[in-house]
Amino acid sequence: MILQEVDEASFTFNKIEGCIDEGVLISYTGTTANSLAWDFGPNSFPATAIGLGPHTVRFGEAGIQEVNLVANFDGMVAKLVTLYHFVSAMN
C-alpha cells in the first residue's frame, strides 16, 4: 500500500484578538506549498501579501476581520483557508 501525503494549508495568529491598528503576526503553519496568496481584507494594512511570511498586519476597524489564504501545491491543487480575527474598539 502506498500512502500519499495530504497537502495541508493552515495559518495562525499570534493573538486571538487585538485593538485597532495593533500589529498582528500571521504565520503559515501548513505543509510546503508552491505559492501562497494572502488577502487580509479591506480594513487591513497591508491588504494583501505573497509568500510564506510571517506577515504583520494592522486592522483599521473594530469587529470580526476575515483573512483568506490560497495555497497552491504540486499538481495544481489550490486550497482556500479562512480564519477570523476579532478587533476591539478599545485600546
Side-chain angles (χ1 to χ4, degrees), residues 19-74:
C19 296
I20 294 173
D21 292 328
E22 178 181 24
V24 177
L25 192 66
I26 301 175
S27 300
Y28 182 73
T29 57
T31 57
T32 302
N34 292 357
S35 67
L36 299 168
W38 300 86
D39 180 349
F40 303 119
N43 302 316
S44 66
F45 180 80
T48 61
I50 300 293
L52 189 62
H55 303 284
T56 299
V57 179
R58 289 174 165 64
F59 296 99
E61 284 188 13
I64 297 172
Q65 307 298 323
E66 181 177 296
V67 176
N68 293 296
L69 168 66
V70 175
N72 289 299
F73 298 96
D74 289 332

